[in-house]
Amino acid sequence: MDDKQIHKDLIMHFGYSLLYVMVVAAGAVIVELFARGMRWFGVSDFSYYILSGTAHLLLVMDAVLLVAVCYYAARKLWRRAAYEKN
């Protein structure tokens, strides 16, 4: 594989990973908005806090996933650069 193709593949992989992370974050926001909407309808506080807690947990997991994606993409790019240097 030539140099440009390797970088293009890495960028595409990183872009799709970021797109996935954004979709998961949007899902967490939707769950939080749904929980707030349920509260307006008079649903119990327990149900609201369960859904709200789920949304917050989803956002924390999404942040961890984003850090992992960035770390592994950078590591792969550095290894490719070190391999090309030698």
Side-chain angles (χ1 to χ4, degrees):
M1 228 183 243
D2 64 330
D3 196 30
K4 288 184 180 183
Q5 183 65 31
I6 290 172
H7 290 298
K8 181 183 172 191
D9 289 344
L10 287 173
I11 290 170
M12 291 297 292
H13 178 70
F14 186 68
Y16 285 131
S17 298
L18 285 180
L19 182 66
Y20 176 76
V21 167
M22 287 190 301
V23 168
V24 172
V29 169
I30 289 171
V31 170
E32 178 64 29
L33 290 175
F34 182 70
R36 289 180 188 224
M38 281 179 40
R39 196 164 209 192
W40 185 70
F41 284 118
V43 176
S44 69
D45 285 342
F46 176 76
S47 298
Y48 167 74
Y49 288 123
I50 289 294
L51 276 178
S52 183
T54 301
H56 289 103
L57 181 66
L58 192 58
L59 277 174
V60 168
M61 289 176 18
D62 191 45
V64 169
L65 181 64
L66 178 63
V67 169
V69 164
C70 289
Y71 171 73
Y72 286 116
R75 189 176 82 173
K76 189 179 236 185
L77 186 61
W78 287 331
R79 284 187 179 178
R80 293 277 185 185
Y83 177 73
E84 291 172 2
K85 188 178 181 182
N86 292 333

